[in-house]
Amino acid sequence: MGHFLCRNTPSSASRNEPMTEQMTGAQALVRALEQVGVDTVFGIPGGAILPAYDPLYDSKKVRHVLVRHEQGAGHAAEGYAQATGRVGVCMATSGPGATNLVTPIADAYMDSVPIVAITGQVASAAIGTDAFQEADISGITMPITKHNFLVTDAADIPRTIVEAFHIAASGRPGPVLVDISKDALQATTTFTWPVQMQLPGYRPVTRPHSKQIREAARLIAEAKRPVLYVGGGVHKAQASAELFELAELTGIPVITTLMARGTFPDSHRQHLGMPGMHGTVAAVGALQRSDLIIALGARFDDRVTGRLDTFAPYAKVVHADIDPAEISKNRHADVPIVGDCKEVIADLVAAIKAGSARGDYTEWWRHLDAYRETYALGYETYEDGSLAPQYIMERIGALVGPDAIYTAGVGQHQMWASQFIGYEKPGSFINSGGAGTMGFAVPAAMGAKMGRPDKDVWAIDGDGCFQMTNQELATCALEGVPIKVAVINNGNLGMVRQWQTLFYEERYSNTDLQSARRIPDFVKLAEAYGCVGLRCERPEDVDDTIRKAMEITDMPVVIDFVVHQDAMVWPMVAAGTSNDDIKYARDMAPKWEHED
């Protein structure tokens, strides 16, 4: 995946002049955060972490954002990290404060997002006694962190912070937890800066092996039906420019996963869209019929492959990833390349330029263009005049434009946002891919907007997701974070209802949110949180409503888009089936031509 830009190296002044000072562990924590370049922390205080909040009060460099729920703090840190390329930071107290961070930590782990979660812990003498608000958070999060630390000695705090930021940002990015006992925060220590990291054995490989690069270039030259399968790792490595050069040089079709939307421009003629369960027919068909897959920073997850033993049966695989554990994990790699995607792609470009042979993909493109033309994305409109959610996405994309940052929750609205908003720039679509966390959009948008105040930030949310974390609208209103929230309100847990329609004989068990009764009324709710609330129920009002929201720049805006409850996401590969069985509408499958 790649190296995140993180301002986590001390300034040259502090490097040249060692700093030694007596202070408490809590003061050392805040000073270390300042030294590694942290400017924003999302959190909620409580007993065990309280000693750290006292010196934080005096910090001129670190802005603390008081969220309304620790899950919001974690997702805000993720949104901040994804929007800025720096490490996001969240903070919570022990016990339930820490356990409320488990969901965003798991989310960050699945999507390789660099965050550092700092938690307070009960005093070291009480650890293991079931003390008040004690939870073994380092034990709980061990499977979902890149690394975690339990610190019980004040002297270890500065070094641990430096190590945590280095681990989170380097190699394959990910979440790191630092759990600090209350007595370590209260004790007096000697603060010395800079500190030496002690990370024996942690050496992420970034330079790819030249032999593997040459072998990959040879396979590309020989292929008749190659595909560039681009994952989130290309964006994490900040390698979109290199990817663009590789694509233009070779003429190979490009598909971008949910986590890579925008890494290659949607408008580019070589872009076939997103692969997978709700990908385009052209992208899914290209993978299934390819003879070579060049996988860059992608992990062959089940949502992309469908039934694994039927996935891309004719294809050899070149798999490049910074994490060696991903290579050949799900699909055997004929050419495994461990390295940072920026360096891998640059080396591939050089190797292809050095070689004489170039592939002729004329016939391949004839097939792919036919898929693209015949099975273009489309959607149903409704005679009763009710809103199609896909139309809303098209209009938001057209009016707000490609310079904005879009976040999404999880479900139908996430898929429509990925399909019908055009993404031209890397990092413009931030969503929960691997974990599929409902409630992600609003706090992630808050974090993204605080990290990039120059950008318009739109949260595309569902009425189910929105009700999980909408309390962070209070944070946005009070902190002056003017995000826009488009609630796609179909009155249901839409994606679950879609599955009930297709696979459970329309038995709608516990998916009706009954928001037709306006419980809650999202417009009134927005106003109660100090935001502007708007409602749109007719196609002819969509543009005016979006424009009205865009004109408001000094406070958050929530738009309640009331849409048809039976709108579905197509295309679709049903879970556990082959990608060959993709449907582009209900009971309608593409006709694949005979393959030699």
Side-chain angles (χ1 to χ4, degrees), residues 54-349:
D54 189 63
L56 197 54
Y57 191 65
D58 298 323
S59 177
K60 301 284 188 288
K61 295 177 180 175
V62 180
R63 175 184 184 179
H64 181 274
V65 179
L66 177 60
V67 296
R68 295 304 181 263
H69 190 293
E70 289 90 354
Q71 183 182 351
H75 292 323
E78 288 187 273
Y80 176 96
Q82 301 241 54
T84 62
R86 301 201 292 271
V87 176
V89 186
C90 52
M91 193 180 282
T93 196
S94 63
T99 58
N100 278 345
L101 285 176
V102 168
T103 295
I105 288 170
D107 190 273
Y109 187 69
M110 287 288 273
D111 287 343
S112 305
V113 181
I115 65 170
V116 170
I118 298 166
T119 52
Q121 184 53 275
V122 299
S124 53
I127 291 175
T129 68
D130 292 335
F132 177 66
Q133 289 197 332
E134 183 188 356
D136 176 12
I137 194 65
S138 51
I140 289 167
T141 59
M142 195 169 283
I144 52 166
T145 48
K146 195 172 168 189
H147 191 66
N148 66 37
F149 299 88
L150 171 60
V151 184
T152 55
D153 182 345
D156 293 336
I157 290 172
R159 175 177 53 79
T160 304
I161 290 297
V162 172
E163 290 174 356
F165 276 74
H166 176 69
I167 292 168
S170 56
R172 179 180 183 167
V176 178
L177 175 92
V178 180
D179 192 33
I180 311 174
S181 65
K182 188 171 185 178
D183 54 319
L185 290 169
Q186 291 171 321
T188 302
T189 184
T190 303
F191 179 84
T192 306
W193 197 271
V195 296
Q196 285 298 112
M197 290 192 292
Q198 297 172 17
L199 295 173
Y202 180 68
R203 301 270 184 282
V205 173
T206 59
R207 291 286 310 140
H209 198 291
S210 57
K211 179 173 170 288
Q212 302 302 84
I213 293 287
R214 287 195 302 275
E215 184 60 15
R218 185 184 67 78
L219 287 185
I220 289 168
E222 291 174 0
K224 297 280 185 283
R225 300 186 303 276
V227 177
L228 286 164
Y229 160 37
V230 176
V234 176
H235 168 56
K236 297 279 195 300
Q238 297 166 355
S240 56
E242 287 79 1
L243 172 67
F244 193 89
E245 186 180 3
L246 176 65
E248 296 246 293
L249 174 68
T250 59
I252 296 174
V254 179
I255 59 172
T256 52
T257 67
L258 188 64
M259 301 311 295
R261 305 290 288 110
T263 306
F264 190 78
D266 279 0
S267 58
H268 195 285
R269 124 150 245 338
Q270 283 168 247
H271 192 247
L272 296 178
M274 185 174 79
M277 177 175 269
H278 294 296
T280 63
V281 172
V284 172
L287 280 172
Q288 288 302 94
R289 269 132 196 82
S290 64
D291 62 1
L292 179 66
I293 293 172
I294 303 109
L296 302 168
R299 55 191 182 86
F300 291 91
D301 67 296
D302 61 300
R303 282 299 192 258
V304 167
T305 64
R307 210 181 94 198
L308 194 58
D309 62 353
T310 65
F311 173 70
Y314 315 102
K316 287 185 173 175
V317 172
V318 172
H319 191 177
D321 203 291
I322 198 155
D323 184 356
E326 283 300 341
I327 295 175
S328 294
K329 183 177 83 178
N330 293 328
R331 171 68 180 249
H332 172 73
D334 298 276
V335 182
I337 304 175
V338 178
D340 182 89
C341 273
K342 195 178 186 76
E343 301 197 28
V344 170
I345 300 170
D347 285 3
L348 259 181
V349 166

Side-chain angles (χ1 to χ4, degrees), residues 225 314 367 593-596:
R225 300 186 303 276
Y314 315 102
H367 284 300
E593 74 293 330
H594 180 67
E595 193 61 66
D596 31 275

Side-chain angles (χ1 to χ4, degrees), residues 421-446:
I421 294 174
Y423 300 103
E424 298 294 310
K425 302 192 173 173
S428 50
F429 187 46
I430 296 170
N431 72 115
S432 170
T437 304
M438 289 179 71
F440 178 85
V442 170
M446 175 174 74

Side-chain angles (χ1 to χ4, degrees), residues 5-22:
L5 287 174
C6 80
R7 297 181 305 154
N8 61 350
T9 48
S11 67
S12 55
S14 59
R15 260 201 303 269
N16 296 337
E17 306 154 25
M19 183 194 310
T20 306
E21 211 177 316
Q22 289 292 109

